[in-house]
Amino acid sequence: MASSMRSLRPQASKLLFQSAPPPALRTPSRVRTKPPPCNICKTLTPRPSLRPFSASASTREKKYTEDHEWIELSADGSTGTIGISAYAARSLGDVVFVELPELAKDVCAGDSVGAVESVKSASDILAPVAGRIVAVNTVLEERPGQLNLSPEGDAWIARMEVKGGEGGEARRLMTASEYEAFTEG
């Protein structure tokens, strides 16, 4: 049996190397090659975009209130994600408790929808625009400290259907640059 296996090894390795080069001779899959030149103008042809353009930056821009909440509207302006700003999270210090809004609650701009408690103080979360709460970030109930780590990212507080659609009330809120000037001044 052992002698027959020894006789098959050289032939098996020949078959393997004929079908594909050995790993040391293969080009890495992560190496990008240049696109072929265009036959007409002799310049490099651009690669097609791998990620289609879906929404303009202005429709996905966060808007801020003077009370340090933010809202990021969907592309059509009918829904929005709300939370507290990084400035507010730094000012609060270590967050120890988050009271989330009630689901299906109708709110007006400026209404209290929840609260954040830290080792320093407690603060209400105010709705930046009018609408209905449709989802809450339940992770914050178990790990309120996430609010300090990613206040304008994964630690969003709630999602809401915006009353009136198209983010009408959000137009009166501050842009990121206006909010930065507001917090520095």
Side-chain angles (χ1 to χ4, degrees), residues 126-137:
L126 306 178
V129 295
R132 174 178 286 235
I133 305 295
V134 294
V136 295
N137 190 353

Side-chain angles (χ1 to χ4, degrees), residues 69-137:
E69 286 87 19
W70 57 264
I71 184 165
E72 184 176 39
L73 295 172
S74 63
D76 64 358
S78 64
T79 60
T81 303
I82 62 173
I84 66 168
S85 69
Y87 177 86
R90 279 191 308 275
S91 299
L92 283 169
D94 294 333
V95 175
V96 294
F97 177 75
V98 177
E99 178 188 337
L100 295 173
E102 296 174 33
L103 283 175
K105 180 179 180 180
D106 290 320
V107 295
C108 294
D111 285 355
S112 177
V113 294
V116 176
E117 293 181 20
S118 71
V119 294
K120 290 182 182 179
S121 65
S123 180
D124 285 338
I125 302 166
L126 306 178
V129 295
R132 174 178 286 235
I133 305 295
V134 294
V136 295
N137 190 353

Side-chain angles (χ1 to χ4, degrees), residues 34-38 41-47:
K34 291 183 179 177
C38 175
C41 62
K42 303 297 182 207
T43 61
L44 296 178
T45 55
R47 291 184 183 271

Side-chain angles (χ1 to χ4, degrees), residues 42-59:
K42 303 297 182 207
T43 61
L44 296 178
T45 55
R47 291 184 183 271
S49 175
L50 299 176
R51 188 171 138 194
F53 184 76
S54 59
S56 70
S58 63
T59 59

